[in-house]
Amino acid sequence: MKSILNIAAYLFVTLDELTKLRDKMLSECHIRELKGTILLTGEGINLFLAGKPEQLRGFLSWLREDPRFAPLQAKESWSDEQPFKKMLIKIKSEIIRMNHHSIQPEKGRANFISPKKLQEWLDRGTDDLGRPVVMIDTRNAFEVEYGTFENAVHFDIKRFTEFPAAISAQKEALSDKTLVSFCTGGIRCEKSGLYMREIGMEHSYQLEGGILKYFEEVGSAHYQGSCFVFDEREALDPNLDTIPIERSIRKKNQT
């Protein structure tokens, strides 16, 4: 049985005194021998951590003692080895940079769809109103190379700040479709979903929990390939297992 627990979690919530908060979190992580990355910003927290399950869950319990973090939900996966080399906590301006400061997920989320409901729509090819369903991949081009939903639309972007212009250019072409945006764990879609609504794409949703939650609840249905993750595991298959061969294949193709 795999012994290292990996978690991914985010929460949009107003934070202040970030330096003090970083110091407290770093101390708690070191005590528990956790490794990974935490991003702290005025708009919230984004974290990827790994360690022994009792220590990692203990950290989450400690974190949720702060009322601001009480709603934090984590997606879990397992590995044989620690996938991170060190423990880092960074202070940033945004937990996922979009450069559209009118988009504030803390004040209200975009419409979302559960993985099970999405599978139902994809099985049928239409939503509950009979509208064709199109998947919108909000990730960067190199991530899409690892895998994506069948027939998903992506824009070959290099960074998330390019997404608003890319989706805006397709507004008319996608106007008669129901759109479901997705990313690795859901965080980018918290902003992309709101932006799509802001520009008038009324029949748009975000996939709750992203690809990783879909893998957890549904598996591989309508998905091709693996999912890139931002740690030393590199990619996970629909069973949430590491695919160690991905790295060597990708490097070989680049040479």
Side-chain angles (χ1 to χ4, degrees):
M1 182 177 178
K2 296 178 180 179
S3 59
I4 300 298
L5 177 63
N6 300 266
I7 64 162
Y10 68 86
L11 183 66
F12 285 94
V13 59
T14 300
L15 300 177
D16 54 14
E17 297 186 316
L18 298 181
T19 300
K20 184 184 296 185
L21 187 58
R22 177 187 62 190
D23 293 344
K24 288 181 180 178
M25 286 186 179
L26 193 58
S27 176
E28 292 291 330
C29 288
H30 285 323
I31 289 171
R32 292 174 169 83
E33 299 182 330
L34 304 179
K35 293 183 180 180
T37 302
I38 297 176
L39 299 183
L40 289 175
T41 78
E43 69 174 2
I45 184 173
N46 187 21
L47 55 87
F48 300 89
L49 294 175
K52 295 179 180 178
E54 63 275 15
Q55 300 287 11
L56 186 45
R57 290 181 176 134
F59 173 77
L60 288 177
S61 295
W62 170 82
L63 191 60
R64 292 179 181 127
E65 290 175 2
D66 184 327
R68 295 174 296 179
F69 299 119
L72 187 74
Q73 298 294 318
K75 289 176 285 294
E76 296 186 354
S77 59
W78 296 85
S79 59
D80 292 317
E81 299 177 352
Q82 169 61 257
F84 296 100
K85 295 179 179 179
K86 51 190 172 181
M87 184 66 233
L88 295 174
I89 300 182
K90 303 176 182 179
I91 295 176
K92 299 281 189 177
S93 59
E94 297 180 70
I95 52 177
I96 182 68
R97 187 180 173 193
M98 192 184 202
N99 290 345
H100 278 265
H101 299 295
S102 63
I103 304 298
Q104 300 179 25
E106 183 184 8
K107 294 183 177 180
R109 302 181 68 196
N111 291 346
F112 62 87
I113 183 172
S114 70
K116 290 288 189 181
K117 188 65 176 180
L118 176 60
Q119 181 187 16
E120 178 186 318
W121 283 6
L122 295 178
D123 286 345
R124 193 169 58 228
T126 64
D127 66 9
D128 294 337
L129 299 177
R131 293 171 57 88
V133 175
V134 174
M135 301 297 294
I136 303 294
D137 198 329
T138 69
R139 299 172 301 158
N140 297 339
F142 81 91
E143 298 171 77
V144 178
E145 292 176 6
Y146 284 82
T148 189
F149 281 94
E150 296 168 355
N151 302 313
V153 172
H154 68 89
F155 305 106
D156 198 32
I157 58 177
K158 300 297 186 292
R159 56 187 61 84
F160 187 56
T161 52
E162 299 172 13
F163 178 81
I167 191 66
S168 295
Q170 297 298 316
K171 179 182 174 181
E172 184 175 346
L174 296 170
S175 62
D176 62 338
K177 308 292 193 301
T178 289
L179 310 176
V180 179
S181 63
F182 67 94
C183 57
T184 306
I187 188 169
R188 277 173 275 200
C189 293
E190 297 284 357
K191 290 190 173 183
S192 67
L194 287 174
Y195 181 80
M196 290 162 69
R197 290 275 172 167
E198 184 179 86
I199 65 172
M201 304 179 97
E202 297 180 3
H203 297 279
S204 60
Y205 300 80
Q206 66 186 71
L207 173 58
E208 180 77 357
I211 298 168
L212 296 182
K213 190 67 174 176
Y214 187 88
F215 281 177
E216 180 182 336
E217 296 189 5
V218 174
S220 62
H222 304 287
Y223 192 93
Q224 296 179 331
S226 60
C227 179
F228 177 84
V229 290
F230 294 87
D231 58 52
E232 291 298 311
R233 293 174 297 171
E234 186 164 343
L236 301 180
D237 69 16
N239 294 318
L240 295 175
D241 289 328
T242 306
I243 306 177
I245 198 172
E246 289 275 350
R247 183 183 301 275
S248 59
I249 289 178
R250 191 160 181 269
K251 284 185 176 180
K252 181 179 179 180
N253 290 339
Q254 289 177 336
T255 57

